[in-house]
Amino acid sequence: CTKDKPTAYNTLQILVYYVMGLNSNNKLYKNIKYIGLYSPITNKVWRLSVSRISKELIHKVSMEVIGYDELHN
């Protein structure tokens, strides 16, 4: 926990978890509407609608960050 706002690394980490969930074929991840972070120290929530995340960004994270091959997409 920190009093600071989320960093680019924090948001990338959450996005990686989301993309890995999408690639798990678990139907639960298909119904997620928001991803975000919560700080109990500051009692603040940062969230983003997954509809605002481009398919291109999800593909780039899948391929270049996680290292999935084309079969996972």
Side-chain angles (χ1 to χ4, degrees):
C1 291
T2 180
K3 292 181 181 180
D4 300 329
K5 290 181 179 180
T7 65
Y9 176 78
N10 301 139
T11 55
L12 176 61
Q13 185 176 9
I14 296 299
L15 181 57
V16 166
Y17 294 149
Y18 174 68
V19 171
M20 289 172 66
L22 289 176
N23 282 285
S24 73
N25 293 323
N26 184 328
K27 293 178 185 179
L28 172 74
Y29 289 93
K30 305 293 185 210
N31 296 319
I32 291 177
K33 298 194 184 316
Y34 297 94
I35 58 174
L37 296 165
Y38 170 68
S39 171
I41 292 176
T42 60
N43 198 32
K44 289 189 179 182
V45 174
W46 294 271
R47 73 178 192 166
L48 175 69
S49 173
V50 296
S51 65
R52 294 186 58 199
I53 304 170
S54 71
K55 293 190 184 305
E56 293 81 16
L57 179 58
I58 289 175
H59 184 264
K60 189 169 189 148
V61 168
S62 294
M63 303 296 290
E64 296 179 21
V65 178
I66 299 172
Y68 287 145
D69 57 24
E70 289 292 334
L71 297 175
H72 276 89
N73 292 302

